[in-house]
Each structure stands twice: as structure tokens, then as C-alpha cells.
Amino acid sequence: MSTYLLPDQNAYFHPTSINDENHIQTEKQESYNNLLATLPKDKGWRSETVFLYKGFWLSSQVVRGLLLIHKHFNPQPTDIFLSAFMKCGTTWLKALMFATANRHRYKFSDHHLLRTGPQSAFPFLDTHIFLDHPITNFDHLPVPRLFATHFAHGLLPTSITSTCKFVYVCRDPKDVLISKWHFMSKLRSKELAPLSFNEAYELFCNGVSEYGPFWDHVLGYWKASQESPDKILFLKYEDMKREPAVELKKLAAFMGMAFTAEEEDQKVVEEIVKLCSFENLSNLEVNKDGGGVQMFTEKVVVENQEFFRKGKVGDWKNYLTEEMKDRIDNITAEKLKNSGLTLGITK
């Protein structure tokens, strides 16, 4: 199950799967199906089809999750959201944010992250609200409540985006493509033909992938961060790999949990960086084959090990031809033109 930690209670919360038939009745399934019938659709990477909803490609269940969030989620002004396009560093940031927020609760030698996958650190709202609705209002979480989402900024309710803080992490789109193709290939239904890399490349360049287009997703958060820097911390995966301690201190300060001089002298920053490093987390038994799973919906269950592949910058060089690389770089340059944001363009 997709359990997550309740740090102040030193316990786990176990969400309850919703019975589809009851859910269909309570959420007016016919109206929902009518909505899907009106939306443009294209080939999905995990499922057979994705739907274009308000400018972004989403699976049918994720569309439903978004509607539930708009209808039922009650944000608090102290909430902090981790947001990212898929395969941009969500697992790493989940671990870092959880370890930072709870650094006074756990010893590094006996930390919860040593026994549970980072995906269990706090709820992934997009599908969790579907798993557990309407029982959970998340009032049992300690303040500040931490949530993760892949939704674009413009898709979320203004009640969330106008009051809550966001930590957003992005990445070179070329590496995103490679990592996402590997990940979604593992999740893709065995009843469907495999998605070839060339197919995924074309779809990605055309903006068609779950939660895409990638560039629109990034730009939405970038522009919002420029307008409200006190509300959105915009991070780059490559900067985090280059100087993790520097970026972690920036993250902690944004969360309202800046490291004290005493903590820095005691090497707390370095300890968190080490605890949450790819090398450490990927080698834990809980994140290896058979170590544990995450349940996102009744049909989407992912082993912890699938969230750890390479964790490197520049792996795209092993997959893309010069022509393919140039095409993505040209799209990036055009999409980000005059935005003030530079991302992943290689000469």
C-alpha cells in the first residue's frame, strides 16, 4: 500500500482503497465520462490513452484525481508542496524535504528513510486523494504538512497556489526523456505493445506525455516563481548534483527551517546530504528488488527499486543522436525564449 509517515506519532498511515462502484455513484461517473469524451486524446506512455485537459496531457485517473482535489482538498497556509514534472528529482527532493523538516525527530543512524522508500515520506496528492477520498482530510499530518504533485501550476486550484509554498525542481529535458521512458516502460500495461524509444522521443518532442508538455509545465512554475519568489522556490536538478549542500541550505531556509550555526558546525547539512544521496538510498534493502512497493491507484503499484535508476546528469548522451539532441535543444530554446530561464541546452 502507499503508506506514508506520521512523524509526530512515529507511525504510518495506511490509505484505504475506494470501491470503484461506490466511487462511481458518489462522483457522478456519467458526468465524468462525458467530460473525457469531449477531450482530445493521444497515445499514453503507461496507459493506452492520455487526454488533453486544460492544455496538459493526463491519464483518465489523474484527471479524476485533479477534479477531486478541486472539490475536496482543504489547503492550509502552512502547507508546502513539492512539485516537478515526472523524473526530475521528486524522489530525491522528497527525502531531502522530509529529512530537513524532521531532523530533530530522528537520529541519522536510525532514520525512517533507512527503513522505508522516500515515496512514503509524505503523500503524493494526485492519486492519493483518489485512493483515500473522502475519508482523509490530512488533518492528522504534522504542521507544516508536506505534499507532492506532478500537476502543472495552472491546473491546481487557486486556493492552493495562492496560499501554499511550492518547491519546484526541473531538469534537462533530454535526461527527463530518457528517465521517463525507462520508468514508464516498466509501468506500461503488459496488455499493450511496448512503447519504443523512437515513439517516446516523437511524443515527447510534440509535448505528448503524462503531465506534459514538459516545457509548458516548467514555464508555468518559472513564471509564478518570478512573480512570487516567497511562494515558489525554483531548483535545478543539475545545481543540486553539483552543490547539494548549498541547495539544501537554500531549501531549508525557504521551508522556514534554516540550519543554525550550531547545526552547521555539527555537520547536520552534510549528514542529510549523505542520508538522502542516490548512492545511499538506492543501496538500502527497502529500495532493492522485493524491498517494498508504492500503490498509487488500485491498478498502479510500483516497486521502490523502480524509483532508482542512475541519478546522473547527461545520461542522454548514451541514447540521443546529434540530430535528436539538437531538435530538443531547439525546442527548449524556442519555448524558453525571453523567459530568463536557461535549461539543458548543450553546445
Side-chain angles (χ1 to χ4, degrees), residues 277-312:
S277 69
F278 179 88
E279 292 72 22
N280 183 56
L281 293 178
S282 63
N283 282 299
L284 297 175
E285 288 303 316
V286 71
N287 296 322
K288 291 183 177 180
D289 186 18
V293 300
Q294 291 301 308
M295 181 177 181
F296 291 97
T297 71
E298 286 188 318
K299 296 181 180 179
V300 182
V301 180
V302 186
E303 291 191 21
N304 287 346
Q305 67 169 347
E306 303 300 350
F307 295 101
F308 300 90
R309 194 177 70 87
K310 289 187 176 180
K312 293 182 178 180

Short mmCIF file of all heavy atoms in Angstrom, two decimals, residues 277-312:
data_model
loop_
_atom_site.label_atom_id
_atom_site.label_comp_id
_atom_site.label_asym_id
_atom_site.label_seq_id
_atom_site.Cartn_x
_atom_site.Cartn_y
_atom_site.Cartn_z
N SER A 277 21.42 10.78 -0.35
CA SER A 277 22.13 10.62 -1.61
C SER A 277 21.63 9.41 -2.38
O SER A 277 21.14 8.44 -1.80
CB SER A 277 23.63 10.48 -1.36
OG SER A 277 23.92 9.24 -0.73
N PHE A 278 21.75 9.47 -3.69
CA PHE A 278 21.33 8.35 -4.54
C PHE A 278 22.10 7.09 -4.15
O PHE A 278 21.52 6.00 -4.07
CB PHE A 278 21.60 8.69 -6.01
CG PHE A 278 21.23 7.58 -6.96
CD1 PHE A 278 19.94 7.49 -7.48
CD2 PHE A 278 22.16 6.61 -7.33
CE1 PHE A 278 19.59 6.47 -8.34
CE2 PHE A 278 21.81 5.58 -8.19
CZ PHE A 278 20.53 5.51 -8.70
N GLU A 279 23.39 7.24 -3.89
CA GLU A 279 24.22 6.08 -3.57
C GLU A 279 23.74 5.39 -2.30
O GLU A 279 23.70 4.16 -2.22
CB GLU A 279 25.68 6.53 -3.40
CG GLU A 279 26.35 6.99 -4.68
CD GLU A 279 25.84 8.36 -5.17
OE1 GLU A 279 25.30 9.12 -4.34
OE2 GLU A 279 25.98 8.63 -6.37
N ASN A 280 23.35 6.19 -1.30
CA ASN A 280 22.89 5.60 -0.05
C ASN A 280 21.50 4.99 -0.18
O ASN A 280 21.29 3.81 0.15
CB ASN A 280 22.89 6.65 1.07
CG ASN A 280 22.49 6.07 2.41
OD1 ASN A 280 23.11 5.11 2.89
ND2 ASN A 280 21.46 6.63 3.02
N LEU A 281 20.56 5.78 -0.68
CA LEU A 281 19.18 5.30 -0.74
C LEU A 281 19.01 4.10 -1.67
O LEU A 281 18.28 3.16 -1.36
CB LEU A 281 18.25 6.44 -1.19
CG LEU A 281 18.08 7.61 -0.22
CD1 LEU A 281 17.17 8.67 -0.83
CD2 LEU A 281 17.53 7.14 1.12
N SER A 282 19.68 4.13 -2.81
CA SER A 282 19.50 3.05 -3.79
C SER A 282 20.08 1.72 -3.31
O SER A 282 19.71 0.66 -3.83
CB SER A 282 20.13 3.44 -5.13
OG SER A 282 21.53 3.61 -5.00
N ASN A 283 20.96 1.77 -2.31
CA ASN A 283 21.58 0.54 -1.82
C ASN A 283 20.93 0.01 -0.55
O ASN A 283 21.37 -1.01 -0.01
CB ASN A 283 23.08 0.78 -1.56
CG ASN A 283 23.88 0.76 -2.86
OD1 ASN A 283 23.90 -0.24 -3.56
ND2 ASN A 283 24.52 1.87 -3.18
N LEU A 284 19.87 0.67 -0.08
CA LEU A 284 19.15 0.17 1.07
C LEU A 284 18.27 -1.01 0.66
O LEU A 284 17.71 -1.03 -0.44
CB LEU A 284 18.28 1.28 1.67
CG LEU A 284 19.01 2.50 2.23
CD1 LEU A 284 17.99 3.54 2.68
CD2 LEU A 284 19.92 2.10 3.40
N GLU A 285 18.11 -1.98 1.55
CA GLU A 285 17.32 -3.17 1.23
C GLU A 285 15.89 -2.82 0.85
O GLU A 285 15.30 -3.45 -0.02
CB GLU A 285 17.32 -4.13 2.43
CG GLU A 285 18.65 -4.84 2.65
CD GLU A 285 19.10 -5.63 1.44
OE1 GLU A 285 18.24 -6.32 0.83
OE2 GLU A 285 20.29 -5.57 1.09
N VAL A 286 15.33 -1.80 1.50
CA VAL A 286 13.94 -1.43 1.24
C VAL A 286 13.75 -0.89 -0.18
O VAL A 286 12.64 -0.90 -0.71
CB VAL A 286 13.46 -0.39 2.27
CG1 VAL A 286 14.13 0.97 2.04
CG2 VAL A 286 11.94 -0.25 2.25
N ASN A 287 14.83 -0.42 -0.79
CA ASN A 287 14.75 0.13 -2.14
C ASN A 287 15.35 -0.80 -3.19
O ASN A 287 15.59 -0.38 -4.33
CB ASN A 287 15.46 1.49 -2.19
CG ASN A 287 14.77 2.52 -1.31
OD1 ASN A 287 13.54 2.55 -1.23
ND2 ASN A 287 15.55 3.35 -0.64
N LYS A 288 15.57 -2.04 -2.82
CA LYS A 288 16.05 -3.05 -3.76
C LYS A 288 14.90 -3.96 -4.17
O LYS A 288 13.78 -3.83 -3.68
CB LYS A 288 17.19 -3.86 -3.15
CG LYS A 288 18.47 -3.05 -2.94
CD LYS A 288 19.58 -3.94 -2.39
CE LYS A 288 20.89 -3.16 -2.24
NZ LYS A 288 21.99 -4.01 -1.70
N ASP A 289 15.19 -4.90 -5.04
CA ASP A 289 14.17 -5.82 -5.54
C ASP A 289 13.49 -6.53 -4.38
O ASP A 289 14.15 -7.16 -3.54
CB ASP A 289 14.83 -6.85 -6.47
CG ASP A 289 13.81 -7.76 -7.14
OD1 ASP A 289 12.62 -7.40 -7.16
OD2 ASP A 289 14.21 -8.83 -7.63
N GLY A 290 12.15 -6.40 -4.33
CA GLY A 290 11.40 -7.05 -3.27
C GLY A 290 11.37 -6.29 -1.97
O GLY A 290 10.77 -6.76 -0.99
N GLY A 291 11.97 -5.11 -1.92
CA GLY A 291 12.07 -4.37 -0.67
C GLY A 291 10.78 -3.69 -0.25
O GLY A 291 10.55 -3.46 0.93
N GLY A 292 9.95 -3.34 -1.23
CA GLY A 292 8.70 -2.66 -0.90
C GLY A 292 8.07 -2.10 -2.16
O GLY A 292 8.70 -2.06 -3.22
N VAL A 293 6.82 -1.66 -2.04
CA VAL A 293 6.09 -1.12 -3.19
C VAL A 293 5.35 0.15 -2.78
O VAL A 293 5.13 0.40 -1.60
CB VAL A 293 5.08 -2.13 -3.77
CG1 VAL A 293 5.79 -3.39 -4.24
CG2 VAL A 293 3.99 -2.46 -2.75
N GLN A 294 4.97 0.92 -3.80
CA GLN A 294 4.09 2.07 -3.62
C GLN A 294 2.83 1.86 -4.45
O GLN A 294 2.92 1.54 -5.64
CB GLN A 294 4.79 3.36 -4.06
CG GLN A 294 5.94 3.77 -3.17
CD GLN A 294 5.50 3.99 -1.74
OE1 GLN A 294 4.55 4.73 -1.48
NE2 GLN A 294 6.16 3.34 -0.80
N MET A 295 1.69 2.04 -3.83
CA MET A 295 0.41 1.88 -4.51
C MET A 295 -0.16 3.26 -4.81
O MET A 295 -0.50 4.01 -3.90
CB MET A 295 -0.57 1.09 -3.64
CG MET A 295 -1.92 0.85 -4.29
SD MET A 295 -2.99 -0.15 -3.23
CE MET A 295 -4.44 -0.27 -4.25
N PHE A 296 -0.24 3.62 -6.09
CA PHE A 296 -0.74 4.93 -6.48
C PHE A 296 -2.23 4.88 -6.78
O PHE A 296 -2.97 5.82 -6.48
CB PHE A 296 0.05 5.45 -7.68
CG PHE A 296 1.47 5.79 -7.33
CD1 PHE A 296 2.49 4.89 -7.57
CD2 PHE A 296 1.78 7.00 -6.74
CE1 PHE A 296 3.80 5.19 -7.23
CE2 PHE A 296 3.08 7.31 -6.40
CZ PHE A 296 4.10 6.41 -6.64
N THR A 297 -2.67 3.81 -7.42
CA THR A 297 -4.10 3.50 -7.58
C THR A 297 -4.22 1.99 -7.41
O THR A 297 -3.20 1.30 -7.23
CB THR A 297 -4.65 3.92 -8.96
OG1 THR A 297 -4.11 3.04 -9.96
CG2 THR A 297 -4.30 5.37 -9.30
N GLU A 298 -5.43 1.48 -7.48
CA GLU A 298 -5.60 0.04 -7.32
C GLU A 298 -4.85 -0.73 -8.40
O GLU A 298 -4.44 -1.88 -8.19
CB GLU A 298 -7.09 -0.32 -7.37
CG GLU A 298 -7.85 0.06 -6.11
CD GLU A 298 -9.27 -0.47 -6.11
OE1 GLU A 298 -9.91 -0.39 -7.18
OE2 GLU A 298 -9.72 -0.96 -5.09
N LYS A 299 -4.65 -0.11 -9.57
CA LYS A 299 -4.00 -0.80 -10.68
C LYS A 299 -2.55 -0.40 -10.89
O LYS A 299 -1.83 -1.06 -11.64
CB LYS A 299 -4.79 -0.56 -11.97
CG LYS A 299 -6.21 -1.13 -11.96
CD LYS A 299 -6.92 -0.87 -13.27
CE LYS A 299 -8.33 -1.45 -13.27
NZ LYS A 299 -9.04 -1.19 -14.55
N VAL A 300 -2.12 0.69 -10.28
CA VAL A 300 -0.75 1.17 -10.46
C VAL A 300 0.03 0.97 -9.17
O VAL A 300 -0.09 1.74 -8.22
CB VAL A 300 -0.72 2.65 -10.88
CG1 VAL A 300 0.72 3.11 -11.10
CG2 VAL A 300 -1.55 2.87 -12.14
N VAL A 301 0.82 -0.10 -9.15
CA VAL A 301 1.66 -0.43 -8.00
C VAL A 301 3.10 -0.49 -8.49
O VAL A 301 3.41 -1.21 -9.44
CB VAL A 301 1.23 -1.77 -7.37
CG1 VAL A 301 2.12 -2.10 -6.17
CG2 VAL A 301 -0.24 -1.73 -6.95
N VAL A 302 3.98 0.26 -7.85
CA VAL A 302 5.36 0.40 -8.32
C VAL A 302 6.33 -0.05 -7.23
O VAL A 302 6.21 0.39 -6.07
CB VAL A 302 5.67 1.86 -8.71
CG1 VAL A 302 7.07 1.96 -9.34
CG2 VAL A 302 4.61 2.40 -9.67
N GLU A 303 7.27 -0.90 -7.59
CA GLU A 303 8.29 -1.32 -6.63
C GLU A 303 9.23 -0.16 -6.33
O GLU A 303 9.56 0.64 -7.21
CB GLU A 303 9.09 -2.50 -7.19
CG GLU A 303 8.30 -3.79 -7.29
CD GLU A 303 9.19 -4.99 -7.60
OE1 GLU A 303 10.42 -4.89 -7.34
OE2 GLU A 303 8.67 -6.00 -8.09
N ASN A 304 9.68 -0.08 -5.08
CA ASN A 304 10.57 1.01 -4.68
C ASN A 304 11.81 1.10 -5.56
O ASN A 304 12.29 2.20 -5.86
CB ASN A 304 11.01 0.82 -3.22
CG ASN A 304 9.91 1.13 -2.24
OD1 ASN A 304 8.88 1.71 -2.60
ND2 ASN A 304 10.09 0.72 -0.99
N GLN A 305 12.33 -0.05 -5.99
CA GLN A 305 13.56 -0.04 -6.78
C GLN A 305 13.42 0.70 -8.10
O GLN A 305 14.40 1.19 -8.66
CB GLN A 305 14.03 -1.47 -7.03
CG GLN A 305 13.11 -2.28 -7.93
CD GLN A 305 13.74 -3.58 -8.37
OE1 GLN A 305 14.95 -3.79 -8.21
NE2 GLN A 305 12.93 -4.47 -8.94
N GLU A 306 12.17 0.81 -8.61
CA GLU A 306 11.97 1.46 -9.90
C GLU A 306 12.19 2.97 -9.83
O GLU A 306 12.31 3.62 -10.87
CB GLU A 306 10.56 1.17 -10.43
CG GLU A 306 10.23 -0.31 -10.58
CD GLU A 306 11.16 -1.05 -11.53
OE1 GLU A 306 11.96 -0.40 -12.22
OE2 GLU A 306 11.10 -2.30 -11.57
N PHE A 307 12.23 3.52 -8.62
CA PHE A 307 12.46 4.95 -8.48
C PHE A 307 13.94 5.29 -8.48
O PHE A 307 14.33 6.46 -8.37
CB PHE A 307 11.81 5.47 -7.19
CG PHE A 307 10.31 5.36 -7.20
CD1 PHE A 307 9.66 4.34 -6.52
CD2 PHE A 307 9.54 6.28 -7.90
CE1 PHE A 307 8.28 4.23 -6.53
CE2 PHE A 307 8.16 6.19 -7.92
CZ PHE A 307 7.52 5.16 -7.23
N PHE A 308 14.79 4.26 -8.59
CA PHE A 308 16.23 4.47 -8.60
C PHE A 308 16.83 3.80 -9.84
O PHE A 308 16.86 2.58 -9.93
CB PHE A 308 16.87 3.87 -7.34
CG PHE A 308 16.34 4.47 -6.06
CD1 PHE A 308 15.24 3.92 -5.42
CD2 PHE A 308 16.95 5.59 -5.50
CE1 PHE A 308 14.75 4.47 -4.25
CE2 PHE A 308 16.47 6.14 -4.33
CZ PHE A 308 15.37 5.59 -3.70
N ARG A 309 17.28 4.61 -10.78
CA ARG A 309 17.90 4.04 -11.98
C ARG A 309 19.38 4.39 -12.01
O ARG A 309 20.23 3.57 -11.71
CB ARG A 309 17.19 4.52 -13.25
CG ARG A 309 17.56 3.72 -14.50
CD ARG A 309 16.78 4.19 -15.70
NE ARG A 309 17.18 5.51 -16.16
CZ ARG A 309 18.17 5.74 -17.03
NH1 ARG A 309 18.85 4.74 -17.53
NH2 ARG A 309 18.47 6.96 -17.40
N LYS A 310 19.70 5.66 -12.34
CA LYS A 310 21.10 6.08 -12.36
C LYS A 310 21.35 7.34 -11.54
O LYS A 310 22.39 7.50 -10.93
CB LYS A 310 21.58 6.31 -13.80
CG LYS A 310 21.73 5.04 -14.62
CD LYS A 310 22.37 5.36 -15.98
CE LYS A 310 22.62 4.08 -16.77
NZ LYS A 310 23.25 4.37 -18.09
N GLY A 311 20.40 8.26 -11.58
CA GLY A 311 20.56 9.50 -10.83
C GLY A 311 21.73 10.34 -11.32
O GLY A 311 22.39 11.02 -10.53
N LYS A 312 21.97 10.32 -12.63
CA LYS A 312 23.12 11.04 -13.19
C LYS A 312 22.67 12.17 -14.10
O LYS A 312 21.55 12.19 -14.61
CB LYS A 312 24.01 10.07 -13.98
CG LYS A 312 24.70 9.02 -13.13
CD LYS A 312 25.60 8.15 -13.99
CE LYS A 312 26.35 7.12 -13.14
NZ LYS A 312 27.24 6.26 -13.97
#
